[in-house]
Amino acid sequence: MRRLFWLALGATLGVLIFRRLSRAAERMTPQGIAASLGAGLSELAAALRDFAGDVREAMSAQEATLRAAAGLDAGGETALSTGAAAPSGAVVPGPAGDVAAAVSPTADKPAAGGS
């Protein structure tokens, strides 16, 4: 009985080792290396596509946030988008409520032929 057990164990281990070595040898052939390289490149391409999609989604979300903060999606045109300025030379306040008191370059100078 003991001999039969060791014989079966030896045969099983021999078959397992032979199969594992055969697979390793097959991976070392040019066809095996090409298949492994092809699979790796396919995985890399899929990962790059996923990354690019994630970047595009984040970029769109950030752009929407910035456009909303700047009031560019408010529907009507603002002074910032048309480039209009108040008659006194001051810039019209932006949609965020910031008031920029930009003075025109000629506002400080007296008119020529002055009074």
Side-chain angles (χ1 to χ4, degrees):
M1 193 55 127
R2 215 185 250 183
R3 287 184 184 184
L4 186 59
F5 170 76
W6 289 112
L7 179 66
L9 181 65
T12 304
L13 288 176
V15 169
L16 292 175
I17 290 172
F18 178 77
R19 290 180 68 190
R20 189 165 291 206
L21 289 175
S22 295
R23 278 191 234 136
E26 185 179 320
R27 278 187 257 137
M28 294 301 165
T29 63
Q31 293 86 6
I33 292 172
S36 175
L37 183 62
L41 289 176
S42 295
E43 289 177 18
L44 177 64
L48 287 175
R49 276 192 300 273
D50 290 342
F51 176 72
D54 291 343
V55 168
R56 277 192 294 275
E57 287 176 22
M59 189 172 55
S60 295
Q62 185 67 22
E63 182 181 4
T65 302
L66 291 172
R67 290 180 71 83
L72 296 176
D73 292 335
E77 291 193 15
T78 63
L80 292 177
S81 64
T82 61
S88 66
V91 175
V92 176
D98 297 333
V99 178
V103 179
S104 69
T106 59
D108 295 341
K109 298 179 184 175
S115 34

